[in-house]
Amino acid sequence: MSAQTVLMSGNEAIARGAWEAGVRVGCGYPGTPSTEILEALARYPEVDCEWSTNEKVALEVAVGAALAGGRAIATMKHVGLNVAADPFFSVAYMGVNAGLVVVSADDPGMHSSQNEQDNRFFARAARVALLEPSTPQECKDFTFAAFEISERYDTPVLLRTTTRISHGKGLVTLGERQEIPRKPYRKDVHKNVVLPAHGRIRHQLIETQRLPALEKEAERWAQIFEGSDDLAIITAGAAFLYACEAFPNATILKLGMTHPLPRELIKRFCEGKKRIVVIEELEPYLTEQVRALGISTEEIHLPRFGELSVGRVRQAVERARDGATPPPVELPPLPPRPPILCAGCMHRGVFYVLKQLDAIVSGDIGCYTLGALAPLDAMDTCMNMGASLSMAHGMAKIFSEEEKKRLVAVIGDSTFYHSGVPALIDILYNGGQTVTIILDNHTTAMTGHQEHPGTGRTIKGEPAPVIELESLARGLGIKHVQRIDPYDLLAAWRTIDEALHRREPSVIIADAPCVLKEKRRFGELVSVDHTKCTECFACTELGCPAIEVRDGHIEINKLLCIACTHCQQVCATCNAGIDIPQVLELVHQKRYADAFKVLLRANPFPAVAGRVCPHPCDHEVNALGWPQEKLYAERYPDLVREFSTPGHPAKLSVRDVERFLGDYGIEHFSGAEFAPAEERPERIAIIGAGPAGLSAAFYLRRRGFRVTVFEAFEKPGGMMRYGIPAFRLNKEILDREIDRLYMMGIEIKCNVTIGRDVSFAELQREYDAVVIAVGDSAPQELELEGTSDVQEGLLYGVDFLRRVNRGQSVKVGRRVAVIGGGNTAIDCARSAKRLGADVTVYYRRTAQEMPAIRDEIDEAILEGVQFEFQTNPIRVLARERRVCGLELIRMKPGPLDKDGRRRPVPVPNSEFSVPIDTVILAIGERADLDFLKETGVRFAQKIHTTFTGAASQPGIFACGDVAFGYGTVTQSIATGRRVASAVTTYLRQKGAKR
Amino acid sequence: MSTATNIVVVGVGGQGSVLAGQIIARAAMLAGFSVATSEVHGMAQRGGSVFSTVRYGKAVLSPAVPEGAADILLAFEKLEALRYLNYLRGDGLALVNDQRIMPSIESLKLAPYPDDKTIEETLHRRARDVLIVLALGIAQKLGNPALTNTVMLGALSRFLDLPHTKWRQAITELVPPKTVEFNLLAFDEGLTWAQRHAQM
């Protein structure tokens, strides 16, 4: 029968080689790129395999088996050998009985690791044999031979692969399993009890006998490939493959055993060679040893970091690009695509809550390390397996009480079994108070869903006892052990918050299966109700890949969403993107200062917003379909009583809560509390001190940047000051909230118009970034017959409001017509009413289509303002250049326009005239962007930006109405906050490049 | 070693590019070639950028495909096609699934997703031939977007010297048994599409 040839990965081939060598026991702990070795080995029924709790245990089990007389293999990733280093070094002295092979899969380039240590040094340091295969066939053959070498020389053998070798596939010719009879067990204390007296003898033997013998053996594992040119290469492992591809005509010495090195053979190989280069990945392990033999190898420029490639090898040797390789084409800037927590992942819920709580998070190794990435940004440290608990315990020894109240350790289930348990014992024993959150997703997810002591299954899929986390923690003596559902954000918040305030150690188990493994769907898919979505982007703070921004709008990707409800719980249909659920909870607990601080994370002007916001937060169901009103009523009857909506005693007015907290903040905080802890050198100019510009200033200053705001008018505030009439917003409140910004160290320069007093180019020169937030301050002009020669009685809405708000005298006639349907129109109407006029608002669409804030329209009606809907002016009538009337026409809905709204069209022959003394045109505002001409910044009516506010020129940003045109104070605030993040990212990238 | 056919397979983690690479390798092996592949595991499952190589020929030792050495860039996603474009030879073929998968919002804050015009222009600056395959559309028409990869393999087969029967055998062996029939159909649809649209 001819031998069978199959396509196999290096890892599968190692398993096959071990199996053919008659291995009896296989142990390991999952870790990329080693995991598949043991998975493949476990499929052979003859081999007793186990996922051990960690690599140290795995190696010790394997050593025990080998001493007992059965061939054994232990597999791990490179950093796993650090964990197993203790037994590894000792068994090196002891030697083996039956063959013992340790596989270390290194990860140059760190595809899935925290470092790229070079484990060839482990073999040299421990004085054991080291084999490095280059192909899957060699993976099998070397593993097979490693057992024989182990037994013949009484040494453990380290088989070292790298990611490319482990995960590369190639053809492998299979052999049969060799049944090796068990070697008899012999008690041999001189070998197997590592007393100093024994060790001294063993070490001597190793140096004088084992290694010299192995050095001879190493010659058998070297191969020479004769080439035609004068380049001679010494190499091994994956580097051999790159060398072959890069220099097909070179003469190559390929080493198979790289500890000990076949020194005599290397010397012979180098004799008479003109150019000798050593090609190896990571450390100059071979280079230094070859040079120590007195061989002068050529100085090449292989970096000690990163994975090699054919190109890098070729470049290092030739120091120039090979002519055969076409020069790379320049690519446009591409968004990166790093790995990300899956849509619906349970970890996201926990990290979101930790971010809400502003926790200091000592993290650990696993999928959940991705919680460290923006936007969750909810991990402070991650060092090595199991370190989260012990590091947190150490931090707590130094931290202040305030810091300790924010400190948590976060660890995965498998990692906890691996090495978290001793740390937890340490915390308890030594009087620590650390809060430990175990993210229990019922599997070892990162490495591809391996079983572990909590899953109830062995590596072979057989039933196993469950080492239950809760009982384990309780058994140790932890009093506070609680379970949370990571899909119930508020409940998780409450449990973690409570634990943080406790002065005792506690364990919280976040319990839910990995969604990638279970592939479950929770319920009805989530979709965005665009009539409600405020585009506050609060949901994007979850960093869920199913939440996308398309053309500036939030969309849920139906292919990815599994209806986990996280985003639905986060959405509060808040214009400013405030974390309303957390604010309400804190107010309910009467922690007003905390609540105020949470408010300020999204809105620097809560007292203003609490008065002028159109409060979409009072929708019964939020924009993602969550019954928020019902939930608030159920959770907080106390708040509903205190802050009920006028006319709706059972309905909570969130805006009233915000106003209460805003006023509380004015009373209790000066603003200096929010000054940055650390100054950054970068200077940022912001043009326009309206809600968007000031919001950007606030959040940039919070991050430590030096911020200067330029304001054209005499005082900051923009539309908050000059647009919204005093009867809606007491300007003293505004002043007090702006005072906070001064106290934080923000500079506001008033009466400075960019383009007139200071050129835009100057700002670009002097500042590291410029944010344009000039708002829509110029009136939209209406082409209306008869207006050109009118001198009296014709006003524009924004001008009118500005003059009223400045306290300037404004005269209107007895009969006032306001044209328009937005907030400016309603404010004008109500202001004119207060000046004693009879006011009628003419709007070309229906009442339902009016974009102004509903409450304000209702107030206007109550105040006696008249409304004429579906009516449009056609001509202003004037006598002696003074307005005396208005000719209007009735309108009806016409065809659909591109936004899906019906464009109003005139009803034929429906013209009519009314006597009018003053016409206020409030049909909208536009931005005055003349100062941007010739700057290269692209704009039409608005500045063209990305959804974050980056304009077409690097370093130039825009927010508020001039970029987004939402038209409310609170939404402008949200865009300011967003732009602050974009500026920060930009400056960070710029800094990194520098 | 220059007689090998070098294919670079790129996409987004979760799109199934690893399986696709395996099918190509299997088909090449069944056709009597020596084969080497490389892929990256672990993090790749989490929606990240994925890159793997397949090489086959008379005697192939290394799975490594240097930059500028791929005969074919098989891209399951357009942005990823650009990211790895420079692996392609100057006279190579870019076979790109007409699908955009948005990277995370955080990533898009760093750079926008390039528009189709930019993508195609850039592809053409490197590749001698560019074929944007409506694979997702074809798969959807067959009732299952998960068949996209197999449609792409069908299109790929138009440009490789591997017998149709070997492709069918490789697919039959490697896809889940219940889906064999649909996958074979998807493969043929892809092949037909490529035959109709390829000028080469």
Side-chain angles (χ1 to χ4, degrees):
Chain A
M1 197 181 89
S2 72
Q4 201 194 346
T5 301
V6 298
L7 188 69
M8 265 189 173
S9 71
N11 280 348
E12 291 165 327
I14 291 170
R16 179 72 190 194
W19 176 79
E20 288 180 11
V23 78
R24 300 275 285 271
V25 173
C27 320
Y29 183 81
T32 313
S34 72
T35 314
E36 300 82 6
I37 303 171
L38 210 59
E39 286 183 320
L41 192 59
R43 285 194 278 273
Y44 296 107
E46 300 90 340
V47 189
D48 178 345
C49 282
E50 68 165 57
W51 285 129
S52 307
T53 42
N54 64 38
E55 294 86 350
K56 173 180 176 288
V57 172
L59 179 50
E60 289 156 353
V61 174
V63 168
L67 288 189
R71 288 187 168 184
I73 189 167
T75 68
M76 56 202 69
K77 68 183 293 176
H78 59 334
V79 287
L81 191 51
N82 301 340
V83 178
D86 198 358
F88 184 69
F89 277 78
S90 291
V91 73
Y93 278 19
M94 286 160 60
V96 299
N97 180 20
L100 174 68
V101 175
V102 181
V103 184
S104 162
D106 293 10
D107 190 16
M110 293 179 275
H111 296 283
S112 201
S113 304
Q114 70 268 42
N115 77 13
E116 48 183 352
Q117 68 188 47
D118 187 334
N119 275 8
R120 291 179 296 176
F121 288 109
F122 260 110
R124 204 176 164 200
R127 320 306 283 155
V128 303
L130 170 64
L131 291 174
E132 290 193 81
S134 297
T135 62
Q137 180 71 50
E138 285 188 352
C139 283
K140 198 202 82 165
D141 296 344
F142 282 26
T143 307
F144 185 91
F147 285 97
E148 287 173 359
I149 293 171
S150 173
E151 288 172 8
R152 193 176 317 136
Y153 301 95
D154 194 17
T155 176
V157 176
L158 181 63
L159 185 96
R160 182 225 186 206
T161 68
T162 52
T163 301
R164 293 295 162 195
I165 303 300
S166 279
H167 289 163
K169 285 190 178 168
L171 299 186
V172 177
T173 305
L174 304 183
E176 290 305 314
R177 178 168 167 96
Q178 195 181 24
E179 282 305 339
I180 308 281
R182 183 191 148 182
K183 291 202 164 194
Y185 173 75
R186 256 184 337 110
K187 179 170 172 177
D188 185 350
V189 290
H190 294 283
K191 267 187 87 194
N192 298 337
V193 178
V194 291
L195 286 170
H198 301 160
R200 285 182 203 114
I201 297 163
R202 293 296 306 164
H203 190 191
Q204 214 174 345
L205 285 173
I206 286 164
E207 297 300 333
T208 57
Q209 292 179 15
R210 178 198 285 171
L211 290 172
L214 279 171
E215 192 170 329
K216 283 265 169 310
E217 175 72 27
E219 297 201 359
R220 284 183 50 214
W221 296 94
Q223 278 173 282
I224 294 172
F225 299 85
E226 292 292 346
S228 54
D229 66 16
D230 63 357
L231 182 67
I233 296 172
I234 302 172
T235 185
F240 165 72
L241 302 175
Y242 302 126
C244 283
E245 293 294 322
F247 303 105
N249 299 320
T251 296
I252 298 180
L253 169 60
K254 175 190 178 298
L255 299 169
M257 184 181 282
T258 47
H259 187 260
L261 287 182
R263 286 179 290 185
E264 291 309 315
L265 181 128
I266 293 171
K267 281 188 204 160
R268 287 200 302 275
F269 173 78
C270 292
E271 266 165 36
K273 296 285 191 304
K274 279 193 203 122
R275 296 181 65 195
I276 303 162
V277 298
V278 180
I279 295 176
E280 59 187 324
E281 214 161 30
L282 298 176
E283 297 295 322
Y285 168 88
L286 295 174
T287 308
E288 286 175 357
Q289 294 185 76
V290 170
R291 286 185 179 166
L293 296 174
I295 297 165
S296 68
T297 69
E298 209 170 291
E299 196 64 52
I300 59 169
H301 296 277
L302 278 177
R304 282 168 91 142
F305 49 83
E307 191 175 27
L308 288 187
S309 66
V310 179
R312 282 179 89 180
V313 167
R314 196 183 281 148
Q315 257 185 313
V317 176
E318 301 292 350
R319 268 170 242 172
R321 255 184 187 280
D322 186 316
T325 311
V329 295
E330 200 184 318
L331 301 174
L334 301 179
R337 201 192 294 271
I340 188 167
L341 289 176
C342 303
C345 175
M346 67 162 260
H347 301 325
R348 182 172 287 109
V350 176
F351 285 114
Y352 180 80
V353 169
L354 291 174
K355 193 180 182 186
Q356 282 183 309
L357 291 164
D358 194 24
I360 298 170
V361 180
S362 176
D364 223 303
I365 308 261
C367 285
Y368 50 94
T369 315
L370 295 172
L373 303 182
L376 286 169
D377 201 12
M379 192 176 285
D380 290 58
T381 59
C382 167
M383 187 166 73
N384 59 269
M385 292 286 287
S388 53
L389 280 74
S390 19
M391 275 176 71
H393 179 51
M395 287 173 171
K397 287 175 187 284
I398 303 296
F399 273 170
S400 68
E401 284 304 316
E402 278 312 301
E403 285 167 322
K404 272 195 259 183
K405 272 187 206 152
R406 292 163 54 207
L407 179 63
V408 297
V410 170
I411 187 167
D413 43 354
S414 189
T415 312
F416 181 72
Y417 293 113
H418 177 282
S419 46
V421 180
L424 184 61
I425 294 172
D426 186 78
I427 290 169
L428 194 64
Y429 168 52
N430 288 304
Q433 298 170 12
T434 303
V435 176
T436 300
I437 300 176
I438 304 175
L439 300 167
D440 181 10
N441 61 359
H442 312 175
T443 186
T444 316
M446 177 90 257
T447 44
H449 302 126
Q450 287 72 34
E451 306 295 342
H452 65 55
T455 63
R457 295 270 161 199
T458 67
I459 188 171
K460 298 227 177 202
E462 286 153 5
V466 176
I467 289 68
E468 220 274 313
L469 290 170
E470 194 173 332
S471 329
L472 176 61
R474 284 193 198 285
L476 291 177
I478 306 274
K479 286 195 208 97
H480 302 279
V481 184
Q482 278 160 298
R483 258 169 212 286
I484 54 172
D485 172 4
Y487 295 100
D488 184 343
L489 295 178
L490 181 67
W493 187 98
R494 285 176 173 161
T495 307
I496 299 172
D497 178 69
E498 196 194 328
L500 285 169
H501 286 83
R502 203 180 280 135
R503 302 182 58 88
E504 269 183 281
S506 53
V507 170
I508 295 168
I509 301 162
D511 181 3
C514 169
V515 293
L516 191 62
K517 188 177 180 206
E518 301 269 308
K519 301 213 189 307
R520 66 175 170 153
R521 212 172 98 181
F522 289 65
E524 284 299 301
L525 288 185
V526 180
S527 60
V528 183
D529 181 343
H530 286 288
T531 63
K532 289 180 185 166
C533 178
T534 64
E535 287 164 9
C536 70
F537 285 47
C539 53
T540 69
E541 293 298 310
L542 285 161
C544 175
I547 300 175
E548 298 179 353
V549 180
R550 286 186 218 144
D551 301 324
H553 307 297
I554 299 287
E555 299 289 351
I556 307 290
N557 184 330
K558 299 225 177 314
L559 294 174
L560 295 177
C561 177
I562 59 162
C564 77
T565 76
H566 276 150
C567 60
Q568 293 178 298
Q569 296 175 59
V570 165
C571 176
T573 38
C574 170
N575 269 356
I578 293 168
D579 181 357
I580 290 175
Q582 189 181 202
V583 168
L584 295 180
E585 175 65 21
L586 287 165
V587 173
H588 165 68
Q589 295 188 19
K590 306 206 185 302
R591 289 156 64 180
Y592 303 132
D594 289 344
F596 175 70
K597 285 179 194 162
V598 171
L599 260 188
L600 242 51
R601 285 184 202 163
N603 179 2
F605 300 103
V608 170
R611 288 168 168 84
V612 304
C613 184
H615 54 89
C617 51
D618 68 2
H619 282 300
E620 192 181 327
V621 171
N622 72 22
L624 294 174
W626 200 246
Q628 55 184 18
E629 184 183 318
K630 191 171 129 247
L631 287 171
Y632 296 159
E634 279 170 15
R635 287 174 192 161
Y636 308 119
D638 53 333
L639 298 188
V640 174
R641 271 194 305 278
E642 207 174 332
F643 302 99
S644 65
T645 306
H648 302 275
K651 187 181 167 90
L652 176 68
S653 167
V654 177
R655 186 173 78 167
D656 285 355
V657 177
E658 185 181 20
R659 178 164 68 180
F660 162 75
L661 285 173
D663 293 349
Y664 178 93
I666 288 175
E667 284 305 309
H668 293 83
F669 293 90
S670 74
E673 304 86 346
F674 305 105
E678 264 177 87
E679 292 286 339
R680 292 203 210 191
E682 294 98 333
R683 303 176 66 210
I684 296 156
I686 295 173
I687 312 172
L694 292 179
S695 162
F698 180 90
Y699 292 107
L700 286 165
R701 182 65 194 144
R702 286 284 283 147
R703 294 176 169 97
F705 295 108
R706 293 159 65 194
V707 179
T708 308
V709 186
F710 296 91
E711 169 55 47
F713 292 147
E714 63 278 10
K715 280 184 175 182
M719 290 304 272
M720 296 186 285
R721 184 176 303 280
Y722 299 111
I724 297 169
F727 57 83
R728 284 180 58 204
L729 175 64
N730 179 340
K731 297 301 145 79
E732 202 185 314
I733 298 284
L734 176 64
D735 288 336
R736 297 285 300 270
E737 293 213 297
I738 292 176
D739 281 347
R740 262 201 305 264
L741 273 67
Y742 286 113
M743 292 298 287
M744 290 166 68
I746 294 169
E747 186 183 18
I748 304 177
K749 292 185 173 174
C750 291
N751 292 315
V752 181
T753 300
I754 303 304
R756 193 188 68 196
D757 305 315
V758 177
S759 76
F760 188 75
E762 196 180 326
L763 291 187
Q764 277 184 286
R765 251 196 331 273
E766 298 290 318
Y767 292 86
D768 295 286
V770 180
V771 178
I772 306 165
V774 293
D776 287 346
S777 52
Q780 196 80 260
E781 276 148 46
L782 180 67
E783 283 190 25
L784 193 55
E785 247 185 85
T787 55
S788 53
D789 42 322
V790 168
Q791 276 185 344
E792 206 182 315
L794 184 66
L795 298 168
Y796 282 101
V798 276
D799 293 335
F800 169 70
L801 288 175
R802 196 173 298 146
R803 284 161 66 183
V804 172
N805 275 316
R806 278 174 167 158
Q808 292 165 341
S809 82
V810 195
K811 275 193 200 143
V812 292
R814 191 173 60 78
R815 295 161 300 188
V816 172
V818 176
I819 314 296
N823 289 324
T824 305
I826 304 301
D827 283 341
C828 287
R830 294 180 67 194
S831 297
K833 190 80 198 166
R834 281 167 172 74
L835 293 172
D838 291 335
V839 184
T840 308
V841 175
Y842 295 97
Y843 180 51
R844 64 199 181 119
R845 295 176 192 265
T846 61
Q848 290 72 34
E849 289 172 286
M850 208 165 198
I853 300 169
R854 197 71 242 162
D855 297 352
E856 304 302 327
I857 302 171
D858 294 344
E859 289 291 325
I861 292 168
L862 284 176
E863 287 165 13
V865 173
Q866 302 292 309
F867 284 84
E868 291 274 354
F869 296 105
Q870 296 189 293
T871 306
N872 213 26
I874 24 181
R875 186 182 300 125
V876 171
L877 307 173
R879 194 179 302 133
E880 292 166 4
R881 298 190 164 186
R882 271 168 66 175
V883 172
C884 66
L886 197 56
E887 190 177 329
L888 300 125
I889 190 163
R890 298 288 182 198
M891 308 294 280
K892 63 177 183 184
L896 291 174
D897 64 13
K898 66 174 173 24
D899 296 329
R901 294 213 298 175
R902 292 205 175 273
R903 178 194 290 278
V905 292
V907 178
N909 306 319
S910 64
E911 297 88 344
F912 64 103
S913 301
V914 286
I916 291 291
D917 304 308
T918 304
V919 175
I920 301 177
L921 291 174
I923 52 153
E925 296 80 37
R926 60 176 182 83
D928 186 356
L929 294 172
D930 284 350
F931 66 96
L932 287 179
K933 279 180 186 158
E934 290 162 30
T935 60
V937 176
R938 281 171 55 207
F939 66 95
Q941 273 148 344
K942 303 267 169 225
I943 296 174
H944 293 298
T945 68
T946 63
F947 65 91
T948 58
S952 57
Q953 293 281 307
I956 312 286
F957 299 82
C959 59
D961 285 346
V962 74
F964 298 102
Y966 289 120
T968 69
V969 167
T970 33
Q971 279 170 302
S972 291
I973 285 170
T975 68
R977 181 163 53 98
R978 217 150 73 209
V979 99
S981 300
V983 171
T984 309
T985 307
Y986 163 76
L987 290 175
R988 231 180 244 161
Q989 276 184 312
K990 206 170 136 188
K993 271 178 208 154
R994 237 186 257 152
Chain B
M1 297 184 197
S2 55
T3 54
T5 300
N6 299 336
I7 303 165
V8 164
V9 185
V10 303
V12 176
Q15 272 193 304
S17 59
V18 170
L19 177 61
Q22 282 170 358
I23 292 171
I24 302 169
R26 183 72 189 143
M29 201 189 138
L30 291 168
F33 288 106
S34 170
V35 183
T37 72
S38 91
E39 54 204 47
V40 169
H41 296 204
M43 284 276 189
Q45 275 179 311
R46 311 297 180 270
S49 167
V50 181
F51 171 89
S52 57
T53 63
V54 181
R55 304 184 72 203
Y56 69 86
K58 254 178 134 174
V60 174
L61 198 58
S62 162
V65 176
E67 282 208 12
D71 301 288
I72 297 178
L73 171 69
L74 180 67
F76 293 130
E77 203 276 340
K78 285 175 150 179
L79 174 61
E80 298 313 311
L82 283 199
R83 199 184 308 281
Y84 299 105
L85 179 60
N86 282 316
Y87 277 86
L88 204 56
R89 296 152 55 115
D91 58 351
L93 162 69
L95 211 53
V96 183
N97 175 24
D98 188 19
Q99 186 178 0
R100 297 157 72 92
I101 299 178
M102 282 294 146
S104 74
I105 292 171
E106 291 306 309
S107 293
L108 289 172
K109 288 178 182 173
L110 302 175
Y113 197 111
D115 57 44
D116 277 355
K117 191 164 155 268
T118 310
I119 292 174
E120 286 194 34
E121 279 174 6
T122 313
L123 289 172
H124 276 288
R125 286 221 308 278
R126 180 69 173 199
R128 191 182 64 191
D129 299 297
V130 175
L131 195 60
I132 307 284
V133 187
L134 303 176
L136 177 62
I138 293 169
Q140 279 167 336
K141 235 181 261 168
L142 292 172
N144 186 356
L147 294 169
T148 306
N149 288 356
T150 319
V151 177
M152 286 300 290
L153 290 179
L156 171 72
S157 73
R158 154 73 178 74
F159 304 97
L160 296 179
D161 49 352
L162 303 176
H164 190 249
T165 51
K166 305 297 178 194
W167 279 106
R168 291 180 66 91
Q169 191 184 338
I171 291 169
T172 308
E173 285 176 16
L174 291 170
V175 303
K178 280 184 191 161
T179 68
V180 169
E181 207 175 312
F182 271 107
N183 274 291
L184 292 175
L185 191 62
F187 182 86
D188 287 343
E189 288 285 320
L191 174 57
T192 311
W193 194 93
Q195 281 166 338
R196 218 176 314 127
H197 291 85
Q199 311 291 310
M200 291 152 268

